[in-house]
Amino acid sequence: MITYHTVKIGTVDIFYREAGPPAAPTIVLLHGFPSSSHMFRDLIRELENDFHLIAPDHPGFGNSSCPPRDEFTYTFDHLAEVTEDFLMAIGLGRFSLYLQDYGGPVGFRIAAKHPEWIESLVIQNANAYEEGLTPLMDQRRPFWKQRSREAERVVLSTFTFARTQWKYLNGVRDRTKVSPDAWNMDQFFLDRPGNKLIQLELQADYGSNVDRYPEWQAYLREHQPPTLVVWGKNDDIFGPAGAEAYKRDLRNIEVHLLDTGHFALEEYCTEIAGYIRRFLGTDELKKAA
């Protein structure tokens, strides 16, 4: 059964979903943009008999605190610091990380800083290589380097209902499998007063993640975390080349390219759960311990 909690981390309240026996192997699920832990709702139910699952909302997302940008520094460094403090506050010492979209740069910062915490990685459309950056992402590079009023206006215009819906439906195989609850939930939180300005700050800071790709690749090469990649291959944000690139630095890796888009769990939740149960249930994690 999923339970719902909130814990104070510094000045912000962090909301999280929890399920499964605490004695079971733990997976920390880190969501992407513009979603929240809601994106893991079905996966948690699929896995709760086999794993201990923790899914927090980042500050500014979902049910966590959403302080205005003049009261909280919205950078990926800061999101990672808050998440690190959250993990320590709830007493986690060793776990697997599930990384999707924004959850990737948050989780990779934590993994590179605390490699002893990480049992394995599950990566879903979360990039750590230049190869995965599509032309759509390349269009944002000037904004990462120099903010202007016109560039901000263009980015702000993408936080619309139509664009949020597009993120869920673009590249999917069967639209009838994608619940409108997903994009409606995301847009509800995006439309909170001041939230679009918060998301603008994170969009402007995204270049800091690309700058740290070499550091994260070095972490992968040195520590060799067992890694399962489950990737929507039709994603126009992070392309499938980003999934294949992980093979360059990892020896114990399994890659599945799925016939869907950015939010692969919407169509392939049962299949991804099966991959996780098999991969995290092998002896490979014991070898890495």
Side-chain angles (χ1 to χ4, degrees), residues 58-107:
H58 304 311
F61 293 79
N63 293 293
S64 288
S65 292
C66 185
R69 61 179 180 173
D70 60 349
E71 296 179 9
F72 185 90
T73 303
Y74 286 96
T75 63
F76 286 92
D77 281 348
H78 198 194
L79 293 189
E81 290 168 5
V82 171
T83 305
E84 177 187 357
D85 290 344
F86 162 76
L87 295 171
M88 290 190 290
I90 65 172
L92 295 186
R94 189 146 172 86
F95 47 84
S96 297
L97 275 177
Y98 189 118
L99 310 177
Q100 198 270 343
D101 191 83
Y102 276 15
V106 172

Side-chain angles (χ1 to χ4, degrees), residues 13-17 27-41 43-44 54-65 74 76 79-80 82-83 86 96-108 110 122-127 168 182 185-186 189-190 192 195 198-199 202 206 209 238 262-263 265-266:
D13 292 328
I14 298 299
F15 168 85
Y16 66 101
R17 301 166 197 255
I27 306 175
V28 175
L29 308 155
L30 299 181
H31 69 82
F33 169 83
S35 194
S36 66
S37 59
H38 179 259
M39 69 167 282
F40 296 115
R41 62 201 181 278
L43 184 67
I44 291 172
I54 299 289
D57 291 349
H58 304 311
F61 293 79
N63 293 293
S64 288
S65 292
Y74 286 96
F76 286 92
L79 293 189
V82 171
T83 305
F86 162 76
S96 297
L97 275 177
Y98 189 118
L99 310 177
Q100 198 270 343
D101 191 83
Y102 276 15
V106 172
F108 276 124
I110 293 169
V122 181
I123 299 175
Q124 178 204 327
N125 299 73
N127 218 54
Y168 280 92
M185 178 76 72
D186 289 359
F189 289 119
L190 267 177
R192 286 179 293 182
N195 192 266
I198 287 169
Q199 302 307 328
L202 289 170
Y206 198 87
N209 302 325
F238 296 126
H262 187 66
F263 286 107
L265 283 172
E266 296 298 317

Side-chain angles (χ1 to χ4, degrees), residues 261-274:
H262 187 66
F263 286 107
L265 283 172
E266 296 298 317
E267 278 197 288
Y268 282 88
C269 181
T270 298
E271 291 85 351
I272 290 172

Side-chain angles (χ1 to χ4, degrees), residues 213-285:
Y213 283 177
E215 174 190 344
W216 302 342
Q217 294 161 18
Y219 156 75
L220 296 173
R221 286 193 299 271
E222 179 179 355
H223 296 281
Q224 291 296 317
T227 299
L228 171 66
V229 179
V230 285
W231 200 282
K233 67 178 181 179
N234 307 325
D235 187 0
D236 281 330
I237 301 171
F238 296 126
E244 298 286 359
Y246 285 99
K247 295 178 179 177
R248 198 164 64 224
D249 292 313
L250 291 164
R251 295 187 295 272
N252 182 9
I253 182 171
E254 185 175 306
V255 176
H256 298 274
L257 298 179
L258 307 172
D259 187 15
T260 191
H262 187 66
F263 286 107
L265 283 172
E266 296 298 317
E267 278 197 288
Y268 282 88
C269 181
T270 298
E271 291 85 351
I272 290 172
Y275 293 140
I276 291 172
R277 276 192 295 267
R278 187 174 69 250
F279 189 82
L280 272 65
T282 68
D283 290 335
E284 301 301 332
L285 298 188

